[in-house]
Amino acid sequence: MALTKTNEREQTKVSKSPQPIRGNQGASIMGPTNPSREAENQDTLVPPSMDHGTMANMRWSFADSHMHLSEGGWGRQTTMRELPSAKEAAGVNMRLTAGGVRELHWHTAAEWAYMLKGRARITAIDQDSRAFQDDVGEGDLWYFPAGIPHSIQGLEPDGCEFLLVFDDGNFSEEATFLLSDWLAHTPKDILAKNFGVPESAFDHIPQKDLWIFQAQVPGPLSQDRVAGRGPVPNTFSHHMRAQEPIRTKGGTVRITDSSLFKASKTIASAFVEIEPGGMRELHWHPNADEWQYYISGEARMTVFAAENNARTFNFQAGDVGSVPFAMGHYIENIGSETLRFLEIFRSDHYADVSLAQWLKFTPHELVRAHLNIDESVLVKIPENKTPVVAAKAA
Ligand code: MN
Ligand code: MN
């Protein structure tokens, strides 16, 4: 029986033990198989018939990343080593217990972060010794420019978990400049001379780096504050989820870039919520690759790569997606709960080009000559950008 394209897509969506069969093509798997993996990636097992060509992988799950365990927390990363198509950004998923510290450090890349759960105290100073300390919670961001030293500590009751994104796909969380590591590689007499104290003052410093370690939960921020040489000119934290979103029938979008979060000069982001059946409209980005982190729900994304190539991927919570520069894409909520994900760009500003707006604002006769569509399609496109479209056409 021939299936319509819609039926074919809906069939793969609901199947619990999918087989590589599409209409009269394919056959069941006879040999070794990993059914749970295949069920998670149904659009890889049974690609939509429009998919074509040899395309790079654009999906990775933090579940497949090496876990670095430490007393006080853990970290795991998704970089170019895990996901080679994502060249402009790398991500780290990190957990700190209450009191657990990601030790004082700096690195070559800038660090942008989104707090997933819990609360943390973050600290930094800049090159003019201006100091920054703040407490951040779920939905908050921070941004530390490249080379600026900082720390993160979990607060009560149960610490925190967050996503870090660095503006360099080759970044490694294992290759950061750690306070303890530097001091362990500096002669004691040099330390004594630097601080003007006896060498014995450094008898008990760590012999090797701490990276993440367990410490006491700090007191209230008001008591913990150090003024430094005044405050940093642009705060390093931002309440992203407190922003009023762009609301459409299909969901919401919050966009945060350096126009709103001034310190965040190399990372722009969007927090997207899509209701079941809804879709992030067909679009592309004229300024950067897109690096995605999925927070909840189930998604399908097809990436169009020119030269007759397109490939579809599935995503769920804890997955990372990548869309190389300028490639067209949409993201559809194929689950039964709200889809939430972050779009992250190595740029000072957020930008996307909407397919619908492009066609709306191009002479219609020219568009119709290309696509052989009725004027009613073009008339129906709203005057304003609709980043998330709803499940059913009215
Ligand atoms: Mn860092
Ligand atoms: Mn996009």
Side-chain angles (χ1 to χ4, degrees):
M1 184 185 76
L3 294 163
T4 67
K5 286 200 164 71
T6 304
N7 284 342
E8 183 185 293
R9 285 154 59 78
E10 283 174 358
Q11 181 191 45
T12 58
K13 185 163 77 180
V14 298
S15 179
K16 284 197 173 64
S17 55
Q19 293 294 333
I21 298 169
R22 186 181 60 222
N24 58 9
Q25 296 181 316
S28 63
I29 296 174
M30 286 176 82
T33 181
N34 185 334
S36 61
R37 200 78 169 196
E38 282 151 0
E40 279 182 11
N41 299 289
Q42 299 203 17
D43 289 309
T44 296
L45 185 75
V46 195
S49 56
M50 297 73 89
D51 276 17
H52 183 263
T54 303
M55 278 178 58
N57 178 44
M58 296 177 191
R59 173 193 176 276
W60 180 267
S61 177
F62 270 106
D64 289 330
S65 293
H66 166 73
M67 185 65 95
H68 183 160
L69 302 178
S70 194
E71 196 181 330
W74 50 253
R76 50 183 171 176
Q77 55 188 354
T78 298
T79 70
M80 265 186 78
R81 291 170 290 282
E82 287 77 23
L83 185 59
S85 64
K87 296 178 174 63
E88 295 185 352
V92 171
N93 176 206
M94 188 171 281
R95 170 84 161 92
L96 297 172
T97 60
V101 179
R102 173 65 176 90
E103 83 158 288
L104 287 158
H105 71 283
W106 73 97
H107 30 71
T108 56
E111 169 177 321
W112 176 98
Y114 179 90
M115 183 58 82
L116 296 164
K117 291 277 179 195
R119 294 180 60 72
R121 179 157 306 163
I122 53 177
T123 77
I125 73 155
D126 74 4
Q127 63 277 11
D128 296 317
S129 302
R130 294 173 293 197
F132 168 85
Q133 300 108 32
D134 197 13
D135 286 354
V136 288
E138 186 171 334
D140 289 345
L141 308 183
W142 69 77
Y143 180 90
F144 297 127
I148 292 299
H150 54 276
S151 69
I152 311 156
Q153 184 171 25
L155 297 176
E156 286 180 317
D158 190 25
C160 58
E161 187 176 329
F162 47 89
L163 173 76
L164 302 172
V165 180
F166 300 88
D167 60 358
D168 173 7
N170 262 319
F171 179 82
S172 173
E173 184 64 13
E174 314 291 342
T176 59
F177 298 93
L178 307 179
L179 171 66
S180 59
D181 193 17
W182 195 14
L183 265 57
H185 291 92
T186 304
K188 294 273 166 56
D189 65 304
I190 294 293
L191 293 176
K193 190 182 287 184
N194 190 71
F195 292 102
V197 297
E199 285 186 36
S200 60
F202 302 100
D203 281 351
H204 306 294
I205 62 168
Q207 297 304 298
K208 62 179 282 295
D209 70 81
L210 297 166
W211 190 62
I212 289 175
F213 67 99
Q214 186 63 51
Q216 295 292 317
V217 177
L221 180 58
S222 56
Q223 291 170 24
D224 213 21
R225 271 205 190 286
V226 178
R229 307 293 298 173
V232 294
N234 295 311
T235 180
F236 291 144
S237 60
H238 176 81
H239 301 299
M240 185 189 208
R241 292 288 294 279
Q243 284 176 223
E244 189 54 36
I246 300 162
R247 289 180 198 280
T248 71
K249 280 190 183 130
T252 67
V253 180
R254 289 169 175 82
I255 293 168
T256 307
D257 63 19
S258 65
S259 66
L260 205 56
F261 181 18
K262 291 194 167 48
S264 191
K265 288 193 167 41
T266 63
I267 298 282
S269 61
F271 179 88
V272 182
E273 296 176 291
I274 305 177
E275 296 311 317
M279 191 179 88
R280 181 78 176 81
E281 68 164 347
L282 287 154
H283 69 280
W284 71 95
H285 303 275
N287 56 333
D289 289 359
E290 176 170 341
W291 198 95
Q292 303 166 338
Y293 178 76
Y294 288 85
I295 294 171
S296 68
E298 290 175 74
R300 162 191 288 143
M301 172 169 75
T302 302
V303 178
F304 164 62
E307 294 185 274
N308 211 15
N309 292 331
R311 185 171 168 190
T312 303
F313 301 88
N314 299 114
F315 301 92
Q316 56 184 291
D319 288 353
V320 173
S322 85
V323 184
F325 178 49
M327 291 188 184
H329 52 286
Y330 66 85
I331 298 145
E332 188 181 16
N333 181 346
I334 57 169
S336 54
E337 60 172 308
T338 304
L339 173 68
R340 293 187 177 85
F341 69 98
L342 289 159
E343 301 176 5
I344 295 153
F345 307 89
R346 188 173 71 183
S347 177
D348 64 342
H349 68 282
Y350 176 88
D352 67 28
V353 180
S354 156
L355 171 68
Q357 296 271 294
W358 180 31
L359 301 188
K360 175 83 172 176
F361 299 131
T362 297
H364 288 191
E365 194 178 326
L366 178 63
V367 176
R368 291 198 309 268
H370 283 75
L371 298 177
N372 197 25
I373 55 176
D374 197 82
E375 175 64 17
S376 63
V377 177
L378 299 172
V379 167
K380 212 164 177 303
I381 298 171
E383 291 288 328
N384 295 316
K385 218 181 241 189
T386 310
V388 180
V389 295
K392 291 280 182 222

